[in-house]
Amino acid sequence: MAVSPEFLKAEREQPWRVELRSKMKNKERTALTRVHMNEVDARERILSNIEVNQGLNQVQAMAEAQRCLDCPNPTCITGCPVEINIPKFIKHIECGNFADAAKTLKETSTLPAVCGRVCPQEKQCESQCFYTQKMNAEPVAIGYLERFAADWEQNSGQMAIPEQAPANGIKVGAIGSGPAGLTFAGEMAKKGYDVTVFEALHEIGGVLKYGIPEFRLPNRIVDVEIDVLKKMGVKFETNFVVGKTANVEDLQEEGYKAFFAGSGAGLPRFMEIPGENYIGILSSNEYLTRVNLMNAANPTTDTPIISGKRVAVIGGGNTAMDSVRTAKRLGAERAMIIYRRGMDEMPARVEEIKHAQEEGIEFLTLTNPVEYLADSQGRVSQVRVQKMGLGEPDASGRRRPEVIEGSEYLIDVDTVVVSVGVSPNPIVPDSLPDLKMTRWHTIEVNDDNLQSSIPFLFAGGDIVRGGATVILAMGDGRKAAAAMDEYLQKNQ
Ligand code: FAD
Ligand code: SF4
């Protein structure tokens, strides 16, 4: 699906872009400093779920857009898994054509307001920007600008509904309503298919709703995008577990011709150390789902969560960071990350680590839990940890943690959130005995078209990749839609 250099060149040579480039010398552009994101002060934001990043205003966005050099070889695009035409949308912002900037984003990304908030740009587009690569300088703030344009469109009240081919009456199903399923649904609706999304939970959005907290990604942002899909005719069936409520064969009998499995990787992993079953120890999935979707932060609901005062979160990824920052907002006096490697090896986004530090989260790095202790009621009261050193890099390329003998000590805790990884959701695969799986329990697909061993079933996102990212899940949804369309054209 690579964008051809000829196409990019032709777009870059359009008169409005040539004129814009001529208005300012590259030297003047590179002399500008990168914009800072407007943020709510840490002391204020830990008291509520208010969104931490407040976005750029128009003046800031247009000034930042001037930094972009509109490069002849825009390497930034190669760093974007869905190949957004980055210089084109940024140059529209520079001119003040915000609607066109949003339209450019929508050409390849279904959820730009989401991606502008949660994509690891520092590892993707921004890492490939000319400034990073050739000048050893701060990259253009591509993510902030993406969010700006997408928010502008949402706030304008004029969300563009993508053009659609005439309805073809062919029924297809998406299993799961995370970013993979939503993107697939949007792409198939554009092609004229009759699309239904089946979602096990009562809310639509997958991890975007049940995992990532409001202070990072407000639900209203996701809901606006879901509304667009509804306006395009996409139907949603919530509280519908494919493989339990109905099987794929049942749905075939109802006329569905093909399916996309985007059922994610929401099965929590534990460390299997002594005491892990004590009361007060939960997985990050349970913790975040209860708070985000079940109103558990409210003590008067049917599903309250115990707001611990000394909360230890085990792990160093985005999920761990979201959990520990949630604990802080629920009133924890000590909210700690316990991570067996060092700060440099943490997989969480750099921005999330920075925000967590500002909010007073304690980072106990090079530290690993080995056992939990409980009070007489069976409630966790302490965690025994050991100190770690770092050895040579392992298969993941990160330095291997090594135990420092005799370094064990106890930390008082009343809540522990285990956030050491997830496995693919098993219900869909378990209900399809002929489906080939990998040894990591992910669905095996053909890399070229995401078709599984069952020809009418395509799959993508975390159910294929294990825990990955929003943008990769979206890229898969798009790729699978193109491949399924081709398959159905040939097999109708
Ligand atoms: P999901 O988003 O997991 O959606 C799958 C959906 O399928 C779920 O709603 C599930 O209920 C449903 N489902 C499962 N089985 C069935 C069934 N049998 N029938 C019907 N429905 C079913 N990525 C980033 O890029 N940036 C971040 O900042 C980031 N932060 C994260 C924070 C947290 C707390 C977590 C958990 C993940 C984070 N990720 C982040 C990862 C990212 O969210 C995932 O990679 C992405 O959501 C995967 O999308 P998906 O559509 O494959 O699956
Ligand atoms: Fe602009 Fe950087 Fe992309 Fe060049 S590489 S077009 S400067 S964002």
Side-chain angles (χ1 to χ4, degrees), residues 118-120 175-181 198-201 206-207 210-212 216 240-242 262-265 288 318-319 322 349 425 427-428 460-462 468-471 473:
V118 304
C119 269
I175 307 169
S177 69
F198 299 97
E199 170 53 55
L201 296 173
V207 170
Y210 81 72
I212 305 181
R216 226 155 52 83
F240 195 115
V241 186
V242 176
S263 44
L288 289 170
N318 285 324
T319 314
D322 284 342
R349 291 189 59 204
N425 286 332
I427 297 177
V428 174
D462 282 4
T469 62
V470 170
I471 192 81

Side-chain angles (χ1 to χ4, degrees), residues 67-71 73-77 86-87 90 128-131 140 142:
R67 293 183 68 226
C68 171
L69 303 172
D70 199 5
C71 303
N73 174 21
T75 42
C76 51
I77 299 180
I86 293 169
I90 294 182
Q128 301 303 312
C129 174
F130 180 85
Y131 282 80
V140 174
I142 302 169

Side-chain angles (χ1 to χ4, degrees), residues 266-452:
L267 190 66
R269 278 191 218 142
F270 285 90
M271 291 178 68
E272 320 243 320
I273 56 176
E276 227 175 5
N277 285 329
Y278 286 135
I279 302 164
I281 304 181
L282 4 75
S283 71
S284 52
N285 276 51
E286 181 182 347
Y287 186 69
L288 289 170
T289 306
R290 287 176 60 147
V291 176
N292 293 338
L293 282 197
M294 299 163 77
N295 196 20
N298 174 354
T300 64
T301 60
D302 292 341
T303 51
I305 204 153
I306 296 161
S307 313
K309 293 293 168 208
R310 295 182 300 265
V311 182
V313 175
I314 318 300
N318 285 324
T319 314
M321 233 43 74
D322 284 342
S323 303
V324 79
R325 295 174 69 201
T326 295
K328 187 81 188 174
R329 283 157 175 78
L330 290 179
E333 285 153 14
R334 255 195 113 178
M336 302 163 260
I337 284 283
I338 299 184
Y339 180 55
R340 63 191 183 137
R341 291 184 161 102
M343 290 303 278
D344 290 345
E345 287 79 25
M346 271 196 186
R349 291 189 59 204
V350 174
E351 185 176 62
E352 306 320 324
I353 296 172
K354 170 185 161 280
H355 284 163
Q357 285 171 324
E358 290 166 358
E359 290 165 10
I361 305 301
E362 291 174 54
F363 284 79
L364 279 59
T365 51
L366 296 172
T367 305
N368 200 32
V370 286
E371 179 186 10
Y372 297 104
L373 308 180
D375 62 17
S376 57
Q377 311 293 313
R379 189 176 173 87
V380 67
S381 58
Q382 288 183 311
V383 50
R384 188 187 306 283
V385 297
Q386 62 192 2
K387 294 296 292 172
M388 311 293 282
L390 287 178
E392 293 301 309
D394 62 14
S396 74
R398 294 175 301 172
R399 291 179 63 195
R400 187 190 301 277
E402 289 172 354
V403 175
I404 299 177
E405 296 299 340
S407 63
E408 291 183 7
Y409 66 101
L410 290 167
I411 302 171
D412 291 342
V413 290
D414 53 28
T415 305
V416 175
V417 181
V418 182
S419 189
V420 294
V422 282
S423 300
N425 286 332
I427 297 177
V428 174
D430 287 354
S431 70
L432 292 164
D434 293 339
L435 186 63
K436 269 201 194 151
M437 304 296 290
T438 68
R439 63 192 164 105
W440 299 281
H441 308 291
T442 53
I443 297 180
E444 191 177 301
V445 290
N446 174 340
D447 281 347
D448 295 334
N449 61 7
L450 302 183
Q451 193 169 29
S452 74

Side-chain angles (χ1 to χ4, degrees), residues 36-56 117 144 147 213-218 220 321-322 325-326 329 351-359:
H36 285 287
M37 172 55 75
N38 303 312
E39 292 170 357
V40 179
D41 185 78
R43 281 163 303 184
E44 185 191 334
R45 69 192 190 224
I46 57 168
L47 302 175
S48 73
N49 251 337
I50 188 170
E51 191 180 6
V52 174
N53 284 349
Q54 292 284 299
L56 304 181
R117 284 169 167 80
Y144 294 173
R147 171 189 165 144
E214 278 281 304
F215 58 81
R216 226 155 52 83
L217 177 62
R220 67 183 154 76
M321 233 43 74
D322 284 342
R325 295 174 69 201
T326 295
R329 283 157 175 78
E351 185 176 62
E352 306 320 324
I353 296 172
K354 170 185 161 280
H355 284 163
Q357 285 171 324
E358 290 166 358
E359 290 165 10

